[in-house]
């Protein structure tokens, strides 16, 4: 039988419900409890695939090709599990499903309403996630903030769910802000009192209150929250800011969060084994070197746009024993001829994925700089395509080479639309998405990094390398080190004459974990560290 943890947030957005859910999941897994997580997003989009990174951060892709909220990346990285389509639910999916059922006559002519039809569909999606994952505990994160009009059906649904699943089989965890007012010299609990009051008004009483704060929470503050919010004092959990997000599971462990949850749910679990996690933290906090990695992006104003990239680089640093100073560099500035000085200070250059022509020429300039100055380079998705364009223009002499995405009239479409994308009209969920196999060529940098012959990696793209130019580029020194099993699709390119120059059509960042850094990121950061050390003498 599955138990459920419902996680809600109050006061303001971006409090860290995703990290809280992930940290709780890690602690439960350390006690041999099988855990899964579902994120419920209250927006009307069917999925995150068509959303602008400036509004919502990165789009995370699962093995089965779901384009999801970035919190699924936190879940996978912290808990080290692979999630799927059923682990992310949106209001768009809920209403679409209910309307389709109504059109098919499933409601027998009844008046279709938010209660019970929408709330029933929400509860059904939670049950599907539990059934498909076969978990002992399902963590359900409700997106948005208590009080938002968009979240009301979900709060009502989880209120009903607790009665139906059994009150002893569910627990409510509420995340709240406890601000510090410098003028008063104290932490203020009124925001917490009000958000809990609003939660209780819809019939939900929190069992644990997680308090985000910049200052330590003393006993008198915990006692006040306990009194006014009707929870035991030990269930008021401090969640102070930490230097690293990977510290948070240990913060919660010290506060006894997992033991409280297990006790409340009537479970029996062995003592936790957090040795793998603490070993990772030790390596993270005791580096032997430092590297500067430039991420040449076009959405740099919002770091969440590159969340998985930045975390995977950090993981590579853990593997290499290096502190990684990741710098987001505006490709548009490089396009205008500015920002070259920033490149001169880097030990490694990474060009990530993206869509649209804006900033592409800046990315290409950064790749030229990396190639000509023998600086370790890693390209991802559009970054690989940009590297192909750069090589075609500047090494193969095809001066007008481009992607047909950016210049439909280019005489040299070295990157072209995939055949199965030619007649696609809808933009949502229609790209090459999810896991596909990749065969690695022996004696290449990719094969050395993976130490395997075949790997499975996650994709998200419409365009691919144009095989008409394969022989021409091979003749100039490009190696196609990763191919689809039939040899038709180019997955990885590299320039073996350089220190490290590798680019992949897929997204390796989605499979990187702090305890298991992705091989391409580990080898890239290692090469950047060696480059840094060589400059120092």
């Amino acid at each position: 039988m599955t138990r459920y943890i419902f996680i809600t947030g109050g006061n303001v957005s971006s409090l860290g419900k995703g990290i809280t859910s992930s940290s709780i999941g890690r602690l439960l897994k350390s006690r041999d409890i099988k855990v899964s997580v579902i994120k419920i997003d209250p927006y009307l989009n069917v999925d995150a695939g068509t959303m602008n990174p400036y509004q919502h951060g990165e789009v995370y892709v699962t093995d089965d090709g779901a384009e999801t909220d970035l919190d699924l990346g936190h879940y996978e990285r912290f808990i080290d599990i692979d999630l799927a389509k059923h682990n992310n639910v949106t209001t768009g999916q809920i209403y679409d499903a209910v309307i389709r059922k109504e059109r098919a006559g499933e409601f027998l002519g009844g008046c279709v309403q938010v209660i019970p039809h929408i709330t029933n569909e929400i509860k059904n999606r939670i049950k599907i996630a539990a059934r498909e994952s076969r978990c002992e505990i399902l963590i359900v994160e409700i997106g948005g903030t208590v009080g938002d009009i968009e979240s009301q059906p979900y709060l009502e649904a989880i209120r009903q769910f607790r009665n139906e699943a059994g009150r002893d089989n569910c627990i409510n965890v509420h995340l709240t802000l406890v601000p510090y007012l410098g003028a008063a010299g104290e932490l203020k609990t009124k925001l917490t009192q009000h958000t809990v009051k609003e939660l209780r008004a819809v019939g939900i009483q929190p069992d644990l209150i997680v308090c985000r704060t910049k200052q330590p929470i003393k006993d008198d503050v915990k006692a006040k929250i306990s009194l006014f919010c009707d929870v035991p004092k030990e269930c008021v959990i401090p969640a102070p800011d930490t230097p690293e997000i990977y510290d948070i599971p240990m913060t919660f462990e010290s506060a006894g969060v997992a033991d409280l949850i297990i006790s409340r749910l009537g479970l029996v679990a062995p003592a936790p084994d957090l040795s793998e996690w603490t070993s990772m933290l030790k390596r993270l906090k005791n580096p032997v070197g430092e590297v500067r990695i430039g991420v040449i992006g076009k959405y740099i104003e919002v770091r969440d746009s590159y969340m998985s990239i930045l975390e995977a680089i950090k993981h590579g640093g853990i593997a290499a024993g290096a502190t990684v100073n990741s710098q987001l560099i505006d490709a548009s500035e490089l396009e205008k001829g500015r920002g070259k000085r920033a490149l001169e200070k880097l030990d490694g250059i990474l060009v990530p994925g993206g869509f649209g022509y804006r900033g592409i020429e800046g990315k290409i300039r950064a790749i030229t700089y990396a190639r000509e100055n023998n600086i370790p380079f890693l390209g991802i998705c559009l970054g690989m395509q940009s590297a192909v364009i750069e090589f075609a223009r500047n090494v193969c002499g095809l001066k007008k080479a481009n992607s047909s995405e950016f210049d439909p009239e280019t005489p040299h479409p070295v990157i072209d639309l995939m055949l199965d994308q030619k007649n696609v009209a809808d933009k949502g969920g229609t790209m090459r998405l999810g896991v596909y196999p990749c065969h690695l060529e022996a004696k290449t940098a990719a094969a050395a990094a993976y130490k395997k012959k075949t790997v499975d990696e996650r994709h998200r793209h419409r365009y691919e390398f144009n095989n008409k130019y394969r022989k021409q580029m091979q003749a100039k020194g490009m190696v196609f080190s990763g191919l689809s099993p039939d040899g038709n699709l180019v997955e990885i390119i590299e320039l073996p004459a350089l220190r490290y120059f590798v680019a992949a059509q897929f997204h390796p960042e989605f499979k990187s974990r702090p305890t298991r850094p992705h091989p391409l990121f580990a080898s890239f950061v290692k090469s950047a560290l060696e480059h840094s050390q060589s400059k120092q003498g």
Side-chain angles (χ1 to χ4, degrees):
M1 181 178 65
T2 302
R3 272 83 167 180
Y4 300 88
I5 302 172
F6 297 106
I7 296 186
T8 54
N11 311 129
V12 295
S13 60
S14 302
L15 274 180
K17 294 192 300 297
I19 300 296
T20 297
S21 303
S22 304
S23 298
I24 290 173
R26 183 75 203 191
L27 296 181
L28 294 173
K29 184 182 179 182
S30 76
R31 289 161 167 82
D32 286 337
I33 295 173
K34 188 174 182 182
V35 180
S36 191
V37 194
I38 180 172
K39 172 66 183 294
I40 296 179
D41 281 305
Y43 48 71
L44 279 168
N45 304 65
V46 172
D47 59 39
T50 59
M51 296 177 71
N52 191 315
Y54 282 122
Q55 290 190 27
H56 199 64
E58 74 172 4
V59 175
Y60 193 80
V61 178
T62 58
D63 278 356
D64 62 351
E67 294 175 285
T68 74
D69 182 78
L70 61 81
D71 274 331
L72 269 75
H74 290 313
Y75 306 156
E76 289 201 346
R77 284 188 288 271
F78 275 68
I79 309 173
D80 198 3
I81 54 176
D82 292 325
L83 302 176
K85 291 180 180 179
H86 56 259
N87 294 103
N88 194 193
V89 173
T90 70
T91 297
Q93 293 174 15
I94 297 295
Y95 276 81
D96 180 62
V98 171
I99 290 170
R100 287 176 184 272
K101 290 177 181 179
E102 186 274 332
R103 291 289 82 187
E106 290 190 25
F107 300 123
L108 302 176
C111 179
V112 180
Q113 298 175 290
V114 172
I115 302 172
H117 301 94
I118 295 298
T119 52
N120 283 347
E121 184 65 28
I122 293 168
K123 290 183 290 184
N124 183 51
R125 296 302 179 98
I126 294 172
K127 293 173 185 175
I128 288 172
R131 183 176 67 246
E132 292 295 320
S133 61
R134 298 180 181 178
C135 59
E136 295 174 79
I137 293 181
L138 180 68
I139 300 171
V140 183
E141 180 190 339
I142 308 297
T145 305
V146 171
D148 293 346
I149 191 169
E150 297 93 341
S151 298
Q152 289 178 2
Y154 296 106
L155 297 178
E156 171 60 19
I158 66 173
R159 183 196 68 77
Q160 295 176 17
F161 197 100
R162 189 167 193 177
N163 286 329
E164 294 170 12
R167 300 192 66 81
D168 293 337
N169 297 322
C170 301
I171 188 169
N172 292 315
V173 178
H174 189 57
L175 191 64
T176 178
L177 177 67
V178 181
Y180 177 80
L181 293 187
E186 61 182 357
L187 292 166
K188 292 295 184 180
T189 67
K190 192 64 70 176
L191 286 176
T192 298
Q193 295 175 42
H194 278 293
T195 186
V196 170
K197 180 181 179 182
E198 193 153 7
L199 194 61
R200 293 171 73 182
V202 297
I204 298 173
Q205 167 64 41
D207 298 287
L208 272 72
I209 299 177
V210 178
C211 302
R212 283 299 313 277
T213 175
K214 289 183 175 296
Q215 299 288 333
I217 296 182
K218 297 180 180 179
D219 281 350
D220 61 331
V221 176
K222 291 179 66 175
K224 189 173 184 180
I225 294 172
S226 170
L227 175 65
F228 283 97
C229 298
D230 196 24
V231 297
K233 185 178 172 182
E234 65 270 19
C235 293
V236 178
I237 309 299
D241 292 349
T242 59
E244 287 287 347
I245 59 171
Y246 300 129
D247 285 324
I248 296 174
M250 304 311 298
T251 299
F252 283 177
E253 179 66 14
S254 298
V257 171
D259 290 336
L260 284 168
I261 289 172
I262 290 168
S263 175
R264 287 300 183 95
L265 292 175
L267 295 173
V268 177
D273 181 3
L274 288 160
S275 57
E276 183 183 48
W277 197 260
T278 55
S279 177
M280 176 274 295
L281 286 174
K282 185 176 180 180
R283 294 194 303 274
L284 176 63
K285 296 180 179 183
N286 295 278
V288 296
E290 182 176 355
V291 292
R292 290 167 294 186
I293 303 294
V295 178
I296 316 301
K298 54 194 291 184
Y299 316 111
I300 67 167
E301 294 86 352
V302 181
R303 287 184 70 86
D304 280 0
S305 300
Y306 299 105
M307 175 65 73
S308 291
I309 290 282
L310 296 174
E311 291 305 308
I313 294 172
K314 185 187 295 183
H315 304 164
I318 293 171
T323 295
V324 180
N325 179 4
S326 296
Q327 302 172 18
L328 293 176
I329 297 173
D330 192 345
S332 298
E333 289 296 299
L334 294 173
E335 197 169 66
K336 298 171 185 175
R338 300 192 290 264
K340 184 179 177 181
R341 285 189 177 182
L343 300 179
E344 296 171 353
K345 300 176 182 179
L346 300 176
D347 303 308
I349 292 174
L350 187 151
V351 176
F355 293 90
Y357 188 54
R358 181 179 65 85
I360 292 299
E361 297 302 327
K363 294 187 179 207
I364 291 172
R365 288 190 179 191
I367 295 167
T368 301
Y369 185 86
R371 182 179 56 79
E372 292 181 345
N373 292 277
N374 200 11
I375 296 173
F377 167 78
L378 179 61
I380 295 173
C381 198
L382 183 60
M384 188 204 89
Q385 296 175 4
S386 300
V388 168
I389 295 169
E390 192 279 334
F391 192 82
R393 290 179 184 176
N394 299 326
V395 178
C396 298
L398 307 176
K399 297 301 181 183
K400 294 185 179 180
N402 214 328
S403 167
S404 59
E405 177 185 7
F406 310 135
D407 181 7
E409 304 302 322
T410 176
H412 301 294
V414 293
I415 302 296
D416 202 5
L417 190 64
M418 300 180 72
L419 288 176
D420 59 4
Q421 293 286 319
K422 296 288 186 182
N423 298 313
V424 171
D426 290 346
K427 296 300 182 185
T430 55
M431 291 182 282
R432 190 180 196 224
L433 291 164
V435 160
Y436 289 87
C438 170
H439 174 74
L440 303 177
E441 295 298 313
K443 299 179 181 179
T444 60
Y450 281 102
K451 297 180 174 60
K452 293 181 179 179
K453 293 182 179 180
T454 302
V455 296
D456 295 312
E457 294 286 0
R458 300 178 188 179
H459 293 67
R460 185 176 184 249
H461 64 102
R462 296 185 192 279
Y463 291 78
E464 64 173 324
F465 180 86
N466 188 339
N467 285 320
K468 293 178 182 178
Y469 296 90
R470 194 186 289 193
K471 288 184 179 179
Q472 189 173 358
M473 293 193 180
Q474 280 178 323
K476 290 293 186 178
M478 179 174 284
V479 170
F480 300 95
S481 56
L483 301 171
S484 59
D486 62 7
N488 287 330
L489 300 179
V490 172
E491 297 277 16
I492 307 175
I493 65 165
E494 55 187 75
L495 301 180
L498 300 178
R499 177 180 282 111
Y500 189 96
F501 193 104
V502 176
Q505 181 60 75
F506 48 79
H507 287 267
E509 69 273 22
F510 293 146
K511 300 193 81 171
S512 188
R513 311 283 189 260
T515 52
R516 292 188 299 110
H518 191 281
L520 290 186
F521 282 91
S523 57
F524 169 58
V525 176
K526 179 183 178 183
S527 181
L529 179 61
E530 291 169 352
H531 176 57
S532 173
Q533 292 170 339
S534 69
K535 290 191 299 183
Q536 296 170 10

